[in-house]
Amino acid sequence: MNKLFFIVAVFLLQNVYSQNFILSGKISGSNEALPFANIYIKGTTQGVNSNDEGKYSLKLPAGEYIIVFQYVGYSKQEIKVVLDQNKTLNVNLKGDAVSLNEVVVKAGEDPAYPIMRKAIKKRKYYSGQVNEYSCQSYIKGLERLINIPEKFKKLIKMTSGEVIDSTDLGVIYLSESESNYYFKKPDLHKEIMYSSRVSGQTRSFSFNQLGQMKFNFYENFINIRGISERPIVSPLSGNAFLFYRFVLLGTINEDGNVFNKIKVIPKRKTDPCFTGIIYIQEKAWRLTGVDLYITQAQKINFVDTLTIKQLHAPVGGDSIWMPVNHNFSFSFKFMGITGDGYFNAIVKNFNLSPKLSDKFFSNEILVIEDGANKKDSTYWNANRPVQLTREENVDYRKKDSTEKITESPHYKDSVDKVHNKLRVSSIFLGYTYNKSKTRLSISLPGIITNGVQYNTVEGLNLGYVFSLNKEYENLKAHRVNGKIRYGFSNYLWGGELGYNYFFNPKKFSRVGLKAKSIVEQYNPADPIAPLINSAYTLLMNENFMKLFKESGAEASYFTELSNGVFGNAVVGYMQRDPLKNSTDQLLIDDKTKLFTSNDPQHPSTHDSLFTSNSAFTAELTMSFRFKQKYISVPNQKIITGSKYPRLSVSYKKAIPVLGSTGDYDLASALVNDEVSLGLVGRLSYRLRGGFFLNTSKLYFTDYKHFTGNQTIINTNSPTGSFRLLPYYTYSADKWYAEAHAEHHFNGFILYKIPLLKKLKVKEVVGAHFLSNNRLQNYYEFNFGLEKIFNVIRFDYVLGYGIGNKVRSGFTIGLNMGF
């Protein structure tokens, strides 16, 4: 009987201790909820975060635990908990128990400075302390829209017919993800996302990446891409004392350790620096926490304030501490539109010796697994370490249920019926017809985007473009693009129709066909914009645009052969016919000027025309981006870049077959890149050269034309064009070499000048070089201001090499990349 009783007792005890119970409650401090506080089992990284309302929920097997409650800026609490049933435990953290006793103050120096010197001295040690590790992360991101002004609501209704009301405010984006992260020295890293959820978008994936959140403050600079064009100087940078003032607020005693609470303050308001608090452990001189922010004073983009918090904890005994919590919170305000949001990451299950081989790592930095977005709410309720707030619960329920309706064919048809209505604004802004359930769209631009233009060949002319897109769930797509053009002076119709089939998104593969009979500029880069040419022709007697008629067809194929290696093949037959000026009408007649002919080679002879000709050409281009990094998403590949330049080599041959007369060979190469130079800015460059191996029958239409400019308005790419070079005078028919470089200082100089720094204007300088068989050693140097009203650029340019004379001029353009 006693033996039976013993067996039953053991069974009951095992049953109790195999059960999971929930410890939940609310974390507060100073009578306010503490969002994203850390709650974990002492001696482990197993734990959760409080949510945006300070509430937490921790599921554990029955047993006895010491639970640690921790929040940056507050004293840590440890509470012993016996968990034999579900329990509620509310915790009120006290502000840091800061002490300034026994602090030795040197004359003229805050006691924070010797602490920072020691911490900076050890930053390289701590930054490289771990050779390799793996961990797990959970990331939640949320963005809210707080207010939209009435004027924007009216504009949206007028242009799209959509009515914006209070139901459109609140959460506009909510996502969660879980991933495994791997790292190995010197800079190998890989992330595998195995769970992903986006509110109201069950087919989508979140792009929350631990790799983009785990800022290393032991490094000199913190790069916050998309938010700041300038890297932010770390308070632990080797040059930190040039940028920061430090103030010791006091010391904190916890678990036998002493932590120094130090305030960091930028020496200059507009320097790319943080403001806030950092925590440095005494004797070890390691960083244990940050609570820092940047604002519009640091000339950041898109947001008014960005706050970054990190909490470090021991992950390998007391000798190795790593960030276990990352939190970004932000607010924004633009033209009365306001909002805020956050991204919060919990990091756990560190393995400091995963024994990762170099072969495990590749240029694939993030993998989103198939089925990552198929986890249901039951899975998330059991696995998320941060309890959802009421707002988040409502958003999931509302949007997930709404998605079932909005994805139904009937609903899509009803929405399309409203959006597809023609409006007065469509005439000017364009019209798009959508058939959402079949992923079909047809776009017809408006008058503003096409417009009426004028040149001396066609006179008044109207060009109109259109497009048709048909997409599939696997991201394959059919795209048709067309163009119609008519000249009212020479009565010439023209048209172009192109088709592309995108059949392998993982390889960017596509095949294309194009047929055309339309007016084109001699330079296929279209160096002068039609609107600018129209203004110069009608108002200033300057007809810079030179045109010919091109008719024919071509086929193309593009694909990625292996990572970073791209191949592009184009085969075409084109008939080229000359055109001449057909009108001399203008609005303002400058008697000192005459229109030039439409023959770029003989601008003063109006009857001079090239002989009609044809060319059958085949061109192969190979492009290389060494060690190209990328993200793998089901059915898609996303390129993130490379630290190496892009290299392209091309060979083009005109073959005299099928009645064509063109016969030439051109080999060319291109190297270009953009290099970050830290606080000094970024350097972009482009090097290009080519050689005609055969010129048996080379027409002017096949010459190498350079992107020049003869107007005050320059719409061409700054890196890759000239500002003062004539459009066609120095086109090459044998060989050419050109180089372009521009350095964008990103405010490195102007942000230090009191009056100018308020304008957010940035400085830029450039140098450009051209040499070919028709022009020896032409140089240009430009000195400019960019980001004027955020979009305008102004340059003063010097040119030398034409007639051994120095030329100068001013250009106005837009901030465009290359």
Side-chain angles (χ1 to χ4, degrees), residues 214-403:
K214 51 180 283 299
F215 293 151
N216 185 355
F217 283 90
Y218 290 119
E219 295 180 352
N220 285 324
F221 302 112
I222 305 298
N223 288 294
I224 311 177
R225 295 174 182 173
I227 299 296
S228 177
E229 294 183 2
R230 302 183 294 172
I232 308 300
V233 180
S234 169
L236 291 169
S237 163
N239 295 320
F241 295 112
L242 297 177
F243 294 91
Y244 287 101
R245 291 190 296 112
F246 298 97
V247 178
L248 179 63
L249 300 180
T251 60
I252 304 163
N253 288 278
E254 285 184 350
D255 300 330
N257 293 313
V258 177
F259 302 92
N260 298 286
K261 183 177 182 179
I262 297 173
K263 186 174 184 180
V264 299
I265 307 164
K267 283 189 172 181
R268 291 165 293 275
K269 186 177 180 181
T270 54
D271 275 354
C273 296
F274 293 103
T275 300
I277 307 294
I278 62 174
Y279 295 84
I280 303 293
Q281 186 180 11
E282 188 76 14
K283 295 183 180 179
W285 313 117
R286 65 162 59 94
L287 183 71
T288 61
V290 304
D291 186 356
L292 303 169
Y293 66 89
I294 52 176
T295 68
Q296 281 292 319
Q298 281 72 50
K299 312 302 180 186
I300 57 178
N301 301 319
F302 305 116
V303 298
D304 285 339
T305 302
L306 173 67
T307 300
I308 299 175
K309 294 182 180 181
Q310 277 188 2
L311 180 64
H312 297 225
V315 296
D318 193 53
S319 61
I320 299 177
W321 290 47
M322 297 185 73
V324 295
N325 183 231
H326 305 262
N327 180 264
F328 299 171
S329 58
F330 56 88
S331 62
F332 61 87
K333 183 177 182 180
F334 177 73
M335 298 180 70
I337 301 174
T338 60
D340 62 14
Y342 68 82
F343 283 85
N344 186 66
I346 299 174
V347 190
K348 62 181 181 178
N349 296 336
F350 283 87
N351 182 354
L352 302 182
S353 55
K355 297 181 180 179
L356 301 169
S357 68
D358 289 350
K359 292 182 179 180
F360 172 78
F361 298 93
S362 65
N363 295 308
E364 186 181 44
I365 59 173
L366 173 64
V367 181
I368 300 180
E369 293 184 339
D370 288 337
N373 59 350
K374 304 302 181 184
K375 308 290 176 66
D376 60 17
S377 58
T378 302
Y379 172 88
W380 286 104
N381 289 337
N383 288 276
R384 70 165 57 91
V386 180
Q387 183 179 340
L388 294 178
T389 65
R390 181 181 179 278
E391 178 185 44
E392 292 161 354
N393 266 311
V394 169
D395 189 72
Y396 270 133
R397 286 198 302 268
K398 175 184 174 183
K399 289 181 180 175
D400 288 351
S401 60
T402 301
E403 184 186 19

Side-chain angles (χ1 to χ4, degrees), residues 28 128 194 197 234 293 297 324 337 441 526 533 593 600 623 779 799:
S28 58
Y194 56 89
R197 185 181 186 186
S234 169
Y293 66 89
V324 295
I337 301 174
S441 67
D526 293 340
N533 181 75
K593 295 181 180 179
S623 300
Y779 305 90

Side-chain angles (χ1 to χ4, degrees), residues 306-554:
L306 173 67
T307 300
I308 299 175
K309 294 182 180 181
Q310 277 188 2
L311 180 64
H312 297 225
V315 296
D318 193 53
S319 61
I320 299 177
W321 290 47
M322 297 185 73
V324 295
N325 183 231
H326 305 262
N327 180 264
F328 299 171
S329 58
F330 56 88
S331 62
F332 61 87
K333 183 177 182 180
F334 177 73
M335 298 180 70
I337 301 174
T338 60
D340 62 14
Y342 68 82
F343 283 85
N344 186 66
I346 299 174
V347 190
K348 62 181 181 178
N349 296 336
F350 283 87
N351 182 354
L352 302 182
S353 55
K355 297 181 180 179
L356 301 169
S357 68
D358 289 350
K359 292 182 179 180
F360 172 78
F361 298 93
S362 65
N363 295 308
E364 186 181 44
I365 59 173
L366 173 64
V367 181
I368 300 180
E369 293 184 339
D370 288 337
N373 59 350
K374 304 302 181 184
K375 308 290 176 66
D376 60 17
S377 58
T378 302
Y379 172 88
W380 286 104
N381 289 337
N383 288 276
R384 70 165 57 91
V386 180
Q387 183 179 340
L388 294 178
T389 65
R390 181 181 179 278
E391 178 185 44
E392 292 161 354
N393 266 311
V394 169
D395 189 72
Y396 270 133
R397 286 198 302 268
K398 175 184 174 183
K399 289 181 180 175
D400 288 351
S401 60
T402 301
E403 184 186 19
K404 295 177 182 178
I405 299 172
T406 57
E407 287 298 311
S408 67
H410 176 73
Y411 180 85
K412 288 181 177 180
D413 286 341
S414 64
V415 171
D416 288 342
K417 186 176 180 180
V418 174
H419 287 176
N420 291 340
K421 286 183 179 179
L422 280 170
R423 297 174 178 82
V424 175
S425 60
S426 303
I427 300 173
F428 301 96
L429 301 177
Y431 172 76
T432 299
Y433 172 85
N434 285 306
K435 194 69 173 176
S436 300
K437 66 182 180 183
T438 58
R439 296 174 178 255
L440 175 70
S441 67
I442 302 173
S443 296
L444 303 171
I447 293 175
I448 293 177
T449 52
N450 280 275
V452 177
Q453 302 155 10
Y454 183 85
N455 61 65
T456 54
V457 174
E458 301 168 289
L460 196 67
N461 65 87
L462 177 64
Y464 198 78
V465 299
F466 61 90
S467 64
L468 181 151
N469 294 305
K470 165 65 178 176
E471 297 182 354
Y472 301 91
E473 285 191 20
N474 59 8
L475 301 182
K476 294 181 180 181
H478 300 278
R479 293 179 186 172
V480 177
N481 297 281
K483 184 191 302 183
I484 301 172
R485 184 176 180 130
Y486 180 72
F488 288 90
S489 178
N490 63 353
Y491 310 108
L492 182 65
W493 280 97
E496 180 179 309
L497 186 66
Y499 164 76
N500 283 280
Y501 174 46
F502 298 80
F503 61 91
N504 186 350
K506 286 250 181 193
K507 293 288 186 180
F508 311 99
S509 303
R510 66 176 184 268
V511 292
L513 297 171
K514 182 166 67 174
K516 65 189 294 189
S517 181
I518 199 167
V519 169
E520 298 282 13
Q521 294 190 47
Y522 280 86
N523 187 341
D526 293 340
I528 182 166
L531 183 61
I532 295 171
N533 181 75
S534 300
Y536 267 79
T537 303
L538 291 170
L539 302 176
M540 303 177 68
N541 288 43
E542 301 278 10
N543 59 325
F544 293 120
M545 184 179 285
K546 306 303 176 186
L547 304 166
F548 72 100
K549 184 181 178 182
E550 188 170 55
S551 305
E554 71 175 30

Side-chain angles (χ1 to χ4, degrees), residues 77-94:
Q77 280 195 38
E78 297 181 0
I79 300 176
K80 186 176 181 180
V81 175
V82 177
L83 203 59
D84 52 10
Q85 60 181 340
N86 293 338
K87 287 189 176 181
T88 299
L89 179 60
N90 298 321
V91 177
N92 184 34
L93 298 182
K94 297 179 180 179

Side-chain angles (χ1 to χ4, degrees), residues 136-168:
Q136 289 181 304
S137 72
Y138 164 85
I139 302 176
K140 179 164 66 173
L142 180 144
E143 297 175 25
R144 298 185 191 90
L145 197 59
I146 297 173
N147 180 62
I148 301 178
E150 289 298 322
K151 60 183 178 181
F152 283 102
K153 294 179 182 179
K154 293 178 181 178
L155 179 63
I156 293 170
K157 183 178 180 180
M158 180 182 71
T159 56
S160 68
E162 189 172 348
V163 178
I164 302 295
D165 56 30
S166 59
T167 60
D168 294 294

